[in-house]
């Protein structure tokens, strides 16, 4: 089986200290039990130990290790969807237990579910069903309580060992104690000059005992060494800690110790730091300084004071700071976030902060939508996609508060590109259907939401439900005076007809819609998508020149407006045109270029179609096993789709022809072997294979601007290559000078060349078969 292409496990932000016995126990237990749950009090290090054990076992699982973080998930009904997203299952259907089980049935995978305690019943049902269906699956979960699933084996992660009073008599013995080693490691990050000596050994040992060896409590105390001697920290514990500990009602004394340690750290923060701590609790995961300022700046904490308070929380180990190549982010551990939320006693303040949180990420999405000319749309939306935990939290806030549904609908519409182009149609459909049911929308907004929902359904291959949604939309449009709604409905009728294979209707609807939409101003994503659909429709109608014309026009407008996603689809359509003309090297280059963009955007449906097209294009080359692997890799990515290839009869017919050709070219055993290898590829592996990034993969033609020309245009290009002037070309072709100028300009536009010499160079290479 191919090596796993799954992303790496989350990196440790700090050094991993000790826990050899625990990680060994986890490995041994997973060898005999397929479900292992790590339990223990808050702050004891369950996640860190699970990650270390999982990393050490990666090679034992052919399909790798997958980490799914659940602390930011509040809706248990979305659990299957979150796991499907982590598995990168193509985004064409609403996931459920049966679908996940089918996907994992032949996988050898270790699934790590982190922070399950607030979803115990849902996790138990999901894990039980998956383990029954997928024999090669093993699950490692972390939770403050057992899941209660059949076959579960629980391991309690206990606090680190603490030194005995006798150990403090020897600095060497004391340093070898796990809790002391962790404390010293964390102290070195804030005070590199600190050393364990005979003078401070008794104090350090007592401090670790007082904190019961709980890693998070030790880290909180270590953060204070930046500004306080270790002796003073122990004194403060004696002065404040017992009172805090007595006020808690937890049964486990170590849990009381953890809560008291957090409360003690909170008491030592400045007023600004405490205010920021509670405000940052609205972030479900990572955030940056700009987000912290936008959400938390308020009366009592001006914007210019947010960073000093943020830095203070990092120094005190309340926040974990991660520095990336171009961005620094922060994260608050779950137990500290829970404590911060509990300090927000005014419900109205939390509601205000949640609204600010939503508005900040809505503005981020709106900014990404305004792509500057020649900008990088893919880069902008990659950033938005990375903020999904925050966006999901914002949408959940709007979905659960009736007063916020209008803003929730606005956010759903603002995130249109995320749903249609970034492989997140599944999530988008969930929120669209929710707001259609519960929100009190005006007719124009409801139409807009229904049209977007119908489009996502088409992309998922759910054509029947899309038609029902479109019928509901048409009934609304007939009763309102809103010309834009009528035009967008016309466009969606064309999109659905295109997917259903009704080419004549698609041509009529899309042509009408494009004409009316373009009259309204510069092209947007709706117009560009319609142009791609019209181009491919005309190709299937047997009009390749007309198809090339509309697709080239779309591509030029995409380049001018920075719309890289629509351009990738235009390239895909142009690749189909070149394939129809027999120009396979150029077609392959365009298909692979489109695939690179689809990969950057995580557009699973677009990438799956590109993979399919590359398979068609390499069929008939030297090694038919290339194509067989790719065909089944691409088809494998559609396994969870109710109707593969969008249900399009024309795409499905091409798939069948390609498969029949390959079966004739290979012996039955060879074909089945190649098919099995391709079907075992992950999406990342299949894309890398199609782009020539894996051994034995098909290689693209030398990269150059390859664009379909009609025979007449190619004749003009040849004459330009011979050095003829426009006048001489006109005389040779016996046409007017003005017509020849138009032809030359048309070639310039098609090839994106800026001079006659570049046209000549291209034409010469074309003659030589380059």
């Amino acid at each position: 089986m191919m090596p796993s292409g799954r992303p790496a496990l989350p990196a440790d932000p700090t050094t991993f200290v000790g826990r050899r016995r625990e990680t060994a126990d986890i490995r041994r237990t997973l060898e005999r039990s397929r479900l292992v749950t790590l339990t223990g009090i808050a702050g004891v290090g369950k996640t860190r130990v699970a990650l270390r054990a999982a990393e050490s076992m990666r090679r034992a699982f052919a399909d790798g290790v997958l980490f799914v973080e659940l602390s930011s998930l509040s809706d248990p009904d979305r659990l299957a969807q979150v796991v499907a997203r982590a598995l990168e299952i193509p985004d064409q259907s609403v996931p459920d237990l049966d679908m996940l089980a089918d996907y994992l049935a032949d996988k050898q995978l270790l699934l790590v579910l982190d922070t399950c305690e607030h979803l115990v019943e849902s996790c138990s049902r999901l894990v039980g069903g998956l383990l029954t269906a997928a024999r090669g699956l093993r699950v490692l979960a972390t939770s403050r309580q057992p899941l209660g699933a059949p076959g579960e084996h629980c391991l309690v992660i206990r606090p680190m060992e603490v030194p005995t009073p006798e150990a403090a008599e020897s600095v060497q013995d004391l340093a070898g104690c796990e809790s002391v080693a962790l404390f010293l490691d964390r102290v070195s990050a804030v005070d590199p000059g600190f050393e364990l000596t005979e003078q401070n050994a008794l104090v350090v040992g007592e401090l670790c005992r007082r904190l019961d060896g709980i890693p998070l409590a030790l880290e909180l105390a270590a953060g204070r060494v930046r500004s306080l001697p270790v002796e003073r920290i122990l004194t403060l514990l004696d002065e404040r800690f017992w009172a805090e500990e007595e006020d808690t009602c937890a049964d486990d004394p170590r849990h009381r110790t953890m809560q008291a340690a957090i409360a003690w750290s909170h008491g030592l923060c400045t007023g600004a730091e405490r205010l920021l701590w509670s405000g940052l609790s609205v972030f479900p995961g990572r955030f940056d300084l700009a987000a912290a300022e936008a959400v938390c700046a308020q009366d009592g904490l001006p914007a210019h004071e947010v960073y000093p308070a943020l830095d203070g929380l990092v120094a005190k180990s309340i926040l974990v700071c991660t520095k990336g190549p171009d961005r620094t982010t922060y994260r608050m551990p779950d137990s500290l976030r829970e404590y911060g939320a509990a300090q927000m006693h005014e419900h109205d303040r939390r509601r205000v902060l949640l609204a600010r949180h939503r508005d900040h990420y809505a503005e981020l999405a709106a900014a990404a939508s305004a792509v500057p000319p020649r900008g990088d749309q893919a880069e902008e939306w990659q950033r938005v996609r990375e903020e999904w935990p925050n966006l999901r939290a914002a949408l959940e806030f709007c979905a659960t508060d009736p007063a916020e549904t209008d803003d929730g609908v606005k956010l759903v519409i603002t995130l249109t590109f995320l749903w249609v182009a970034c492989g997140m149609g599944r999530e988008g459909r969930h929120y669209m259907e929710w707001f259609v049911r519960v929100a009190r929308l005006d007719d124009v907004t409801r139409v807009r939401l229904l049209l977007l929902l119908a489009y996502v359904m088409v992309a998922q291959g759910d054509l029947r439900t899309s038609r029902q949604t479109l019928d509901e939309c048409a009934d609304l449009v007939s009763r309102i005076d809103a010309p834009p709604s009528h035009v967008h409905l016309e466009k969606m009728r064309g999109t659905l007809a295109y997917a259903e294979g009704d080419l004549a209707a698609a041509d009529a609807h899309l042509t009408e819609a494009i004409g009316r939409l373009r009259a309204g101003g510069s092209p947007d994503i709706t117009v560009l998508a319609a142009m791609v659909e019209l181009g491919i429709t005309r190709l299937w109608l047997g009009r390749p020149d007309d198809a090339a014309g509309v697709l080239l026009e779309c591509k030029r407008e995409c380049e001018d407006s920075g719309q890289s996603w629509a351009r990738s689809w235009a390239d895909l359509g142009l690749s189909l045109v070149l394939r129809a003309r027999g120009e396979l090297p150029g077609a392959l280059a365009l298909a692979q270029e489109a695939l690179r963009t689809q990969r950057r955007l995580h557009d699973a449906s677009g990438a799956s179609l590109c993979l399919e097209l590359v398979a068609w294009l390499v069929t008939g080359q030297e090694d038919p096993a290339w194509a067989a692997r790719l065909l089944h890799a691409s088809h494998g990515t559609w396994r969870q789709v109710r109707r593969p290839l969008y249900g399009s009869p024309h795409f499905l017919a091409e798939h069948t022809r390609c498969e029949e050709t390959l079966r004739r070219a290979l012996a039955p055993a060879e074909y089945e072997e190649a098919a099995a290898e391709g079907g075992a590829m992950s999406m990342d592996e299949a894309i890398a294979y199609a782009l020539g990034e894996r051994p034995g993969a098909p290689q693209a033609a030398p990269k150059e601007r390859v664009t379909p020309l009609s025979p007449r245009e190619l004749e003009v290009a040849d004459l330009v290559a011979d050095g003829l002037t426009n006048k001489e070309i006109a005389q040779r072709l016996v046409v007017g000078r003005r017509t020849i100028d138009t032809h030359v300009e048309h070639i310039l536009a098609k090839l994106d060349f800026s001079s006659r010499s570049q046209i000549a160079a291209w034409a010469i290479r074309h003659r030589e078969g380059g």
Side-chain angles (χ1 to χ4, degrees), residues 35-353:
L35 170 59
V36 176
T37 301
L38 307 185
T39 63
I41 63 171
V44 80
K46 298 183 291 294
T47 299
R48 294 289 297 272
V49 175
L51 284 170
R52 174 53 62 103
E55 182 61 45
S56 70
M57 299 183 71
R58 182 187 290 273
R59 292 186 179 181
F61 295 90
D63 292 293
V65 178
L66 182 71
F67 179 81
V68 184
E69 194 277 323
L70 299 176
S71 66
S72 63
L73 179 64
S74 58
D75 182 358
D77 293 336
R78 307 289 306 285
L79 178 60
Q81 190 174 107
V82 171
V83 175
R85 167 62 48 215
L87 285 165
E88 298 185 351
I89 295 175
D91 197 10
Q92 274 75 45
S93 59
V94 179
D96 56 20
L97 174 58
D98 291 339
M99 185 270 278
L100 286 175
D102 182 57
Y103 182 83
L104 291 169
D106 60 348
K107 298 289 191 297
Q108 293 181 2
L109 179 79
L110 174 60
L111 176 63
V112 182
L113 296 177
D114 184 48
T115 315
C116 301
E117 55 266 13
H118 60 305
L119 303 165
V120 167
E121 292 184 5
S122 297
C123 287
S124 178
R125 285 194 300 270
L126 182 78
V127 168
L130 293 181
L131 290 174
T132 299
R135 304 304 301 173
L137 176 69
R138 292 180 186 255
V139 176
L140 177 61
T142 72
S143 176
R144 295 182 193 176
Q145 67 181 90
L147 302 186
E152 180 181 28
H153 193 119
C154 292
L155 291 177
V156 179
I157 302 300
R158 304 186 184 281
M160 291 179 154
E161 63 167 330
V162 297
T164 63
E166 294 76 19
E169 297 176 3
S170 165
V171 172
Q172 184 175 0
D173 290 345
L174 187 64
C177 176
E178 275 194 345
S179 60
V180 175
L182 177 67
F183 179 77
L184 295 176
D185 180 82
R186 300 304 186 254
V187 168
S188 68
V190 298
D191 183 4
F194 184 88
E195 293 182 359
L196 183 66
T197 65
E198 293 182 358
Q199 288 71 35
N200 62 26
L202 287 173
V203 175
V204 170
E206 179 61 21
L207 184 61
C208 292
R209 283 193 296 275
R210 281 286 287 108
L211 296 175
D212 285 332
I214 300 171
L216 182 56
L218 292 166
E219 292 180 347
L220 292 173
R224 304 301 302 171
V225 178
R226 180 195 298 267
S227 56
L228 293 173
V230 69
E231 294 81 5
R232 179 57 179 157
I233 295 173
L234 183 58
T235 302
L236 288 172
L237 283 177
D238 289 336
E239 292 174 356
R240 305 183 185 184
F241 201 67
W242 292 114
E244 297 285 0
E245 188 173 309
E246 290 167 0
D247 288 341
T248 63
C249 58
D251 294 330
D252 188 335
R254 291 167 302 188
H255 185 71
R256 293 201 299 270
T257 298
M258 184 65 253
Q259 290 189 332
I262 296 174
W264 171 73
S265 292
H266 186 263
L268 295 179
C269 289
T270 66
E273 289 168 352
R274 288 195 291 268
L275 195 59
L276 183 61
W277 184 343
S278 65
L280 293 176
S281 68
V282 301
F283 289 94
R286 296 189 180 278
F287 57 89
D288 57 19
L289 176 60
E293 290 175 339
V295 175
C296 299
Q298 56 185 303
D299 294 340
L301 186 64
H304 69 275
E305 292 184 11
V306 170
Y307 177 72
L310 192 75
D311 190 49
L313 293 177
V314 172
K316 296 176 177 67
S317 299
I318 307 302
L319 293 176
V320 177
C321 175
T322 302
K323 294 183 179 180
D326 51 11
R327 184 174 176 233
T328 297
T329 60
Y330 306 87
R331 177 183 60 82
M332 190 180 292
D334 294 341
S335 51
L336 299 180
R337 184 169 64 248
E338 292 167 7
Y339 185 89
Q343 304 311 303
M344 205 181 304
H345 303 297
E346 299 176 8
H347 176 73
D348 287 345
R349 179 177 174 240
R350 182 166 185 81
R351 199 164 177 276
V352 167
L353 289 171

Side-chain angles (χ1 to χ4, degrees), residues 16 30 34 62-63 94 179 208 246 259 276 365 414 497 508 513 522 557 564-565 621 654 699 710 748 765:
F16 189 87
L30 275 170
R34 297 177 58 220
D63 292 293
V94 179
S179 60
C208 292
E246 290 167 0
Q259 290 189 332
L276 183 61
T414 300
S522 58
E557 292 184 352
S564 56
W565 176 71
Q621 294 189 6
E654 290 294 319
Q699 302 295 316
S710 68
L748 282 167
R765 286 198 299 274

Side-chain angles (χ1 to χ4, degrees), residues 720-739:
V720 171
D722 288 336
L724 275 66
T725 65
N726 282 9
K727 181 177 180 180
E728 290 169 333
I729 294 173
Q731 292 172 342
R732 179 72 62 87
L733 299 178
V734 196
V735 295
R737 168 69 181 271
R738 188 171 184 178
T739 303

Side-chain angles (χ1 to χ4, degrees), residues 673-684:
E673 181 182 2
E677 290 174 352
M681 291 184 188
S682 68
M683 173 69 85
D684 286 343

Side-chain angles (χ1 to χ4, degrees), residues 253-518:
R254 291 167 302 188
H255 185 71
R256 293 201 299 270
T257 298
M258 184 65 253
Q259 290 189 332
I262 296 174
W264 171 73
S265 292
H266 186 263
L268 295 179
C269 289
T270 66
E273 289 168 352
R274 288 195 291 268
L275 195 59
L276 183 61
W277 184 343
S278 65
L280 293 176
S281 68
V282 301
F283 289 94
R286 296 189 180 278
F287 57 89
D288 57 19
L289 176 60
E293 290 175 339
V295 175
C296 299
Q298 56 185 303
D299 294 340
L301 186 64
H304 69 275
E305 292 184 11
V306 170
Y307 177 72
L310 192 75
D311 190 49
L313 293 177
V314 172
K316 296 176 177 67
S317 299
I318 307 302
L319 293 176
V320 177
C321 175
T322 302
K323 294 183 179 180
D326 51 11
R327 184 174 176 233
T328 297
T329 60
Y330 306 87
R331 177 183 60 82
M332 190 180 292
D334 294 341
S335 51
L336 299 180
R337 184 169 64 248
E338 292 167 7
Y339 185 89
Q343 304 311 303
M344 205 181 304
H345 303 297
E346 299 176 8
H347 176 73
D348 287 345
R349 179 177 174 240
R350 182 166 185 81
R351 199 164 177 276
V352 167
L353 289 171
L354 287 169
R356 288 181 178 176
H357 174 271
R358 174 202 61 215
D359 293 344
H360 172 73
Y361 290 101
E363 290 173 7
L364 184 72
S369 300
V371 186
R374 303 284 174 171
D376 190 342
Q377 184 184 41
E379 182 177 348
E380 294 292 328
W381 281 94
Q382 276 182 312
R383 166 75 188 281
V384 175
R385 197 177 189 275
E386 289 170 359
E387 296 291 359
W388 175 239
N390 283 303
L391 289 166
R392 181 175 63 199
L395 287 164
E396 291 292 332
F397 165 59
C398 295
T400 55
D401 188 335
E404 303 295 335
T405 53
D406 287 349
D407 285 309
V409 172
K410 291 176 184 176
L411 180 55
V412 166
I413 292 173
T414 300
L415 293 170
T416 292
F417 195 84
L418 196 67
W419 314 138
V420 305
C422 298
M424 298 192 69
R426 180 187 298 128
E427 286 84 352
R429 178 171 177 172
H430 168 82
Y431 288 108
M432 287 177 233
E433 290 177 332
W434 173 261
F435 286 118
V436 163
R437 285 196 306 270
V438 305
R440 296 181 178 179
L441 305 173
D442 62 84
D443 287 342
V444 172
T445 303
R446 181 172 289 274
V447 165
R448 191 173 181 187
L449 197 58
L450 287 171
L451 287 171
L452 179 56
L453 178 57
Y455 187 87
V456 168
M457 289 170 173
V458 169
Q460 293 179 329
D462 190 0
L463 305 186
R464 182 182 60 83
T465 312
S466 179
R467 178 162 292 284
Q468 293 171 351
T469 303
L470 214 54
D471 289 342
E472 179 184 351
C473 188
D475 183 58
L476 273 174
V477 169
S478 69
R479 303 198 304 265
I480 60 176
D481 181 18
S485 297
H486 289 263
V487 178
H488 283 86
L489 175 61
E490 184 78 7
K491 187 271 173 188
M492 265 309 303
R493 281 175 168 153
T495 298
L496 184 57
Y498 156 78
E500 291 176 332
D502 187 351
L503 300 181
D507 194 327
H509 288 306
L510 291 170
T511 300
E512 172 70 15
I514 291 169
R516 294 170 66 185
L517 286 166
R518 299 196 68 180

